[in-house]
Amino acid sequence: MVFKRFFEVGRLCLVNYGQNSGKLGLVIDIIDANRVIFGFESGERAVVPTKRLTLTPQVVTMPRGVRTAKLLKIADETKVFKQFHESKWGQRRVAAEKKRSLNDFEKFAAMVERRERAKLINRKVKELKQ
């Protein structure tokens, strides 16, 4: 298996564990093999273990150790966060969040709609088989 994504300065990552779980940001600097300085979408920074990050395909060209204002300017110019939100991965995250936020009645209504859709599909398939 050949790896295609590596930890590098400017790599867009998603935090997958901890208090910042679900947040996007860019790698600002690499401390060692296990930790990076990470700049979040909101502008805050943190030292994050690499095990808590999921690498995305997006990479931004930027210098090491860039300051917060410059980081936000670079991210704004390249529209890296917008690209991620428009990607399939970003759209799936939005859909999952929407599904998680449904109340009981909305979940029930969605279940009823799925059943109705399945019935219609099965009827059409039976008609086509005959």
Side-chain angles (χ1 to χ4, degrees):
M1 181 171 150
V2 179
F3 294 107
K4 293 187 169 103
R5 298 178 192 165
F6 302 99
F7 280 101
E8 56 188 309
V9 174
R11 172 71 68 177
L12 182 70
C13 298
L14 177 69
V15 180
N16 56 28
Y17 182 80
Q19 67 183 14
N20 294 315
S21 181
K23 291 185 180 179
L24 282 172
L26 294 167
V27 174
I28 296 171
D29 201 357
I30 299 170
I31 298 171
D32 58 25
N34 298 317
R35 297 178 301 154
V36 297
I37 298 176
F38 196 68
F40 292 99
E41 204 171 354
S42 61
E44 60 190 81
R45 292 172 173 234
V47 175
V48 181
T50 56
K51 288 183 179 182
R52 293 185 179 190
L53 296 176
T54 303
L55 303 175
T56 66
Q58 287 87 359
V59 181
V60 175
T61 304
M62 63 185 226
R64 278 182 60 212
V66 69
R67 295 186 183 260
T68 305
K70 181 83 170 164
L71 174 73
L72 293 175
K73 183 180 175 188
I74 291 170
D76 205 33
E77 288 173 357
T78 58
K79 297 181 174 67
V80 67
F81 295 116
K82 185 179 178 190
Q83 286 175 2
F84 178 78
H85 291 302
E86 290 173 352
S87 70
K88 290 282 187 185
W89 189 352
Q91 291 172 357
R92 278 196 315 261
R93 288 186 66 226
V94 170
E97 182 57 40
K98 185 178 176 184
K99 189 174 180 179
R100 255 185 259 121
S101 68
L102 295 177
N103 62 29
D104 285 346
F105 181 73
E106 291 167 337
K107 289 177 186 175
F108 174 76
M111 179 194 67
V112 170
E113 288 175 19
R114 276 195 309 273
R115 284 183 179 175
E116 291 298 320
R117 190 171 46 241
K119 284 180 186 176
L120 287 172
I121 291 170
N122 287 337
R123 281 189 206 137
K124 289 290 182 185
V125 168
K126 284 182 182 178
E127 288 175 11
L128 293 173
K129 283 184 177 180
Q130 292 176 357

